[in-house]
Amino acid sequence: FSNPSTNSYRRLVPGFEAPIHISWAHRNRTALIRVPLFIQGRESSLRAELRNPDPAANPYLAFAAMLAAGLEGIEQGYELPPSVEPNNYKMTAEQREAAGLTSLPNNLYEAITETQHSDLVRRTLGDHVFERFVTNKLKEWYDYREQVTDFEIQRYYAVL
């Protein structure tokens, strides 16, 4: 819901501003979720930042999913993994694996596949909206896959 288009995934690549690894931190701006430190006595300034949403995201769907996920974590007592303070992009693959970091989906199809398996999202949206959303996004993905881009024409036309 936070990256709803095929174009959303062009910015979810290593080294860009948007994070690609599932992690949280206090200071690390490469983390997916950042909970900046606050000053004692100013607890009302405490906030959390989800750092990957695309401007094309529908805020109603994105917030519904975020709130449902957060509430389920609280209600079920999910254990919070340790924060990851080093820059995720400067870590080696072995360091990321040791820290338990996994990546966000690489494209819209991977995101749709994850969504299809989510009972949380289905409960949040209801069966009708869930099914329509998945159907529409799959159609968007298949329409996208049928396109030949200028990049492909320029790169491969001479060798075909």
Side-chain angles (χ1 to χ4, degrees):
F1 297 103
S2 60
N3 294 283
S5 73
T6 56
N7 200 45
S8 299
Y9 295 87
R10 296 192 195 292
R11 47 185 275 288
L12 297 178
V13 294
F16 279 36
E17 290 291 319
I20 62 168
H21 298 104
I22 300 171
S23 63
W24 78 277
H26 292 290
R27 292 183 180 91
N28 180 3
R29 292 187 179 272
T30 62
L32 177 63
I33 298 172
R34 193 167 84 95
V35 182
L37 296 171
F38 63 94
I39 300 168
Q40 291 290 8
R42 298 195 54 204
E43 286 80 5
S44 63
S45 68
L46 181 65
R47 68 183 191 279
E49 303 168 356
L50 179 64
R51 302 197 65 254
N52 75 319
D54 186 272
N58 177 319
Y60 302 105
L61 293 176
F63 280 120
M66 285 185 275
L67 289 171
L71 287 172
E72 182 169 290
I74 292 167
E75 290 169 353
Q76 300 296 321
Y78 292 170
E79 189 171 328
L80 187 65
S83 68
V84 179
E85 296 303 334
N87 182 321
N88 296 351
Y89 299 134
K90 293 183 179 177
M91 296 170 78
T92 65
E94 292 80 19
Q95 289 171 321
R96 284 193 297 272
E97 185 176 333
L101 296 184
T102 55
S103 294
L104 293 170
N106 289 311
N107 57 51
L108 184 61
Y109 183 75
E110 288 182 11
I112 297 164
T113 302
E114 289 291 323
T115 301
Q116 284 178 301
H117 295 100
S118 174
D119 291 332
L120 173 69
V121 174
R122 183 180 286 277
R123 286 192 316 272
T124 301
L125 298 180
D127 288 333
H128 177 73
V129 173
F130 179 85
E131 292 297 335
R132 295 298 292 172
F133 181 83
V134 168
T135 299
N136 288 340
K137 287 299 163 183
L138 282 173
K139 182 181 181 332
E140 182 179 339
W141 174 253
Y142 294 133
D143 289 347
Y144 169 76
R145 287 193 51 197
E146 293 174 358
Q147 301 303 309
V148 177
T149 65
D150 288 341
F151 171 82
E152 294 164 313
I153 292 168
Q154 291 172 2
R155 182 161 191 138
Y156 302 117
Y157 185 73
V159 296
L160 295 178

